[in-house]
Amino acid sequence: IVFDAKAEKITLSVAAEDSYGICGTMNEWSSDEVMTKTGDVYSITLDLAENAEFKVRLNAGWDTCYGAAAVDAASPAAANFDLSGDNIKCVTAGSYTISFNVTTSKITLA
């Protein structure tokens, strides 16, 4: 809250809530597919082509992003992805639900 006595007005600023999204070859690494938040988990269901690559990123920026190292090895669909590189690479085309837990910083693929 900021009070400007000269202008006789009060300005209320509310910090924007963080958002997470998927950025990758499906959107030419230029924009995010915005994930939906439920509690501490953000998720989205996407149709991924064979060899599609992506990362989960915070607030549509590259300062904080998560790739293959953040994937939970116990994910139901982990075998359908190549996790040897920095990007998450889909080797079997299909519809996948990608979830990111902000508490654990882990990605789940289903």
Side-chain angles (χ1 to χ4, degrees), residues 7-73:
E8 295 182 0
K9 70 177 185 175
I10 296 174
T11 304
L12 176 62
S13 297
V14 178
E17 185 173 347
D18 286 337
S19 67
Y20 286 85
I22 303 294
C23 189
T25 55
M26 75 288 296
N27 50 28
E28 299 179 2
W29 298 100
S30 64
S31 62
D32 282 15
E33 303 293 331
V34 179
M35 301 174 86
T36 303
K37 182 181 179 187
T38 304
D40 289 342
V41 177
Y42 289 80
S43 63
I44 190 169
T45 300
L46 294 174
D47 291 329
L48 297 177
E50 182 179 348
N51 296 319
E53 294 186 27
F54 65 91
K55 287 186 176 182
V56 174
R57 62 185 192 160
L58 171 65
N59 296 328
W62 292 110
D63 290 339
T64 303
C65 60
Y66 301 87
V71 173
D72 185 342

